[in-house]
Amino acid sequence: MNNLSKMPKIELHLHLEGAAPPAFIRGLAKEKNIDIGGIFNEDGSYRFTNFWNFLKVYEAACEPLKGPQDFYRLTLAVLEESAASGVLYSETFLSPDFCGGRDLGAWREYLHAITEAATKAEKDFGITLRGIVTPIRHFGPEKARETARCAAETAGGFITGFGIGGDEKSGELKDFLWSFDMAREAGLRITAHAGEWKGPDEVRAAMNDLGAERIGHGVRAIEDMALVDEIAERGVVLEVCPGSNVALGIYSSFRKHPIGEMYDRGVKVTINTDDPPFFHTTMAREYEMLHQAFDWDEAVFATIARTALDAAFCDADTKTRILKTLEQANG
Ligand code: ADE
Ligand code: ZN
């Protein structure tokens, strides 16, 4: 037994709806009499066969999440679970698509409920949350514009960033440039899912076309070592989600996952869960699996947590406060 599960952690890549425990979604569906049958295994876990099917199941699981109060409950439940894994600070992807259908007035109400829950969780569990507004790539660039408008109108304070998730094979990143420019002009920091289902060129597009300072996943940069070195030199931060990549079959095991080689090569990697109940993981489990795969010790994990905090999109005062707690805990 080691202390990894208790170590203070910083998470930068977590989808709020993707963090919904299946029992929570089943309970909501029952309360509201909504039939979302077929998305659960016999043991109650989420059922999906591959990434594209996962996206469908994800959207079906969002069906019973119908109003701000549901997102209040969801946020509290998710943050309690993250805090139990030792997470001090978390950034979560929020999609106006699932929070009021990209209507600005509705989005404000959902956001109000989510921030209320975050404030309560900070008091009760000692975890701090910030939000990254995230269009869904396969919903297309037009919807992303509406999402960017929601992001720009609510930028600052709790909403710190803008990203993009969903099916990486749908369209081109540059189709979303208008939305990213709008978000950037509103002062939001930029991240983008890339190099999960497409290769090195997609990571280059995220860095060069969108100006992303962080990349969601980015692991397939490993297929081009010149790109890996460029990522390291430019200090672009990778939001790596090893358990997600293994669960979705991109790599056959933690040992075969490129995070070890990237870390050794000087890339700023961070450790994240993506959609933890879907992938049967937690931040504590990610640490344990990485320890087993690469023999990483507490010093490595402390370095990675510090990298993640440095790359966080929150304001300087929040960062200083979290850093104090991190340093106290890591000695
Ligand atoms: N949305 C939720 N999880 C995702 C993932 N792993 N990749 C892209 N979009 C997602
Ligand atoms: Zn993700």
Side-chain angles (χ1 to χ4, degrees):
M1 192 52 194
N2 52 51
N3 288 323
L4 296 180
S5 71
K6 296 217 173 70
M7 280 190 81
K9 301 172 180 73
I10 309 291
E11 178 160 41
L12 301 179
H13 189 121
L14 176 76
H15 299 261
L16 186 58
E17 306 86 10
F24 177 90
I25 294 297
R26 257 195 314 280
L28 266 189
K30 204 163 169 205
E31 271 175 37
K32 295 165 193 244
N33 241 325
I34 297 173
D35 180 14
I36 47 165
I39 69 164
F40 301 111
N41 289 310
E42 299 240 307
D43 67 2
S45 60
Y46 291 113
R47 173 164 65 208
F48 52 92
T49 49
N50 59 32
F51 175 65
W52 291 272
N53 179 242
F54 156 80
L55 290 175
K56 286 211 163 70
V57 170
Y58 188 112
E59 284 161 33
C62 288
E63 283 285 305
L65 287 164
K66 283 254 178 269
Q69 190 55 26
D70 295 339
F71 272 80
Y72 177 92
R73 286 163 65 186
L74 172 64
T75 305
L76 258 191
V78 168
L79 291 178
E80 182 168 14
E81 179 65 35
S82 291
S85 252
V87 179
L88 291 180
Y89 174 87
S90 179
E91 286 181 8
T92 189
F93 297 117
L94 300 171
S95 297
D97 303 88
F98 301 128
C99 297
R102 300 175 304 282
D103 173 80
L104 180 58
W107 164 244
R108 285 189 197 282
E109 285 176 25
Y110 278 78
L111 197 53
H112 180 72
I114 292 166
T115 52
E116 293 257 290
T119 302
K120 180 166 169 55
E122 185 148 0
K123 207 158 92 250
D124 293 356
F125 315 129
I127 180 170
T128 299
L129 183 71
R130 293 292 182 269
I132 300 173
V133 177
T134 306
I136 311 291
R137 185 161 168 169
H138 55 277
F139 292 177
E142 284 310 312
K143 288 184 173 146
R145 287 173 190 236
E146 296 171 21
T147 298
R149 199 171 136 253
C150 290
E153 292 288 338
T154 53
F158 182 77
I159 295 296
T160 55
F162 190 73
I164 187 164
D167 182 2
E168 192 179 344
K169 292 196 170 166
S170 169
E172 300 297 325
L173 274 181
K174 60 176 165 25
D175 300 339
F176 296 87
L177 194 52
W178 189 95
S179 299
F180 276 85
D181 283 345
M182 180 178 223
R184 198 188 338 266
E185 279 162 26
L188 293 171
R189 312 269 300 269
I190 303 298
T191 177
H193 281 64
E196 181 190 18
W197 298 102
K198 281 178 157 177
D201 284 348
E202 196 68 5
V203 178
R204 283 200 178 87
M207 287 162 55
N208 301 332
D209 297 347
L210 300 185
E213 54 185 297
R214 295 189 343 215
I215 307 285
H217 299 279
V219 285
R220 291 194 48 199
I222 199 72
E223 294 161 29
D224 178 345
M225 288 316 276
L227 176 61
V228 172
D229 290 341
E230 187 184 339
I231 290 170
E233 269 158 35
R234 285 170 61 169
V236 171
V237 172
L238 301 191
E239 303 157 5
V240 185
C241 311
S244 161
N245 297 154
V246 172
L248 289 170
I250 301 173
Y251 303 104
S252 57
S253 67
F254 271 72
R255 218 179 280 266
K256 297 237 170 78
H257 194 282
I259 191 172
E261 194 176 349
M262 286 181 154
Y263 176 79
D264 291 343
R265 200 123 172 159
V267 173
K268 288 185 176 177
V269 297
T270 62
I271 301 166
N272 308 275
T273 57
D274 212 7
D275 310 283
F278 281 87
F279 306 136
H280 304 282
T281 198
T282 61
M283 279 292 276
R285 176 180 175 268
E286 295 293 315
Y287 270 46
E288 183 55 35
M289 297 299 278
L290 290 166
H291 166 66
Q292 284 176 25
F294 303 113
D295 207 22
W296 282 356
D297 59 13
E298 290 183 22
V300 174
F301 289 113
T303 302
I304 290 177
R306 180 61 202 265
T307 298
L309 184 59
D310 288 345
F313 287 163
C314 62
D315 61 278
D317 286 352
T318 304
K319 228 180 243 200
T320 305
R321 177 171 59 79
I322 309 283
L323 182 60
K324 265 196 201 131
T325 316
L326 196 62
E327 282 181 337
Q328 269 164 12
N330 283 334

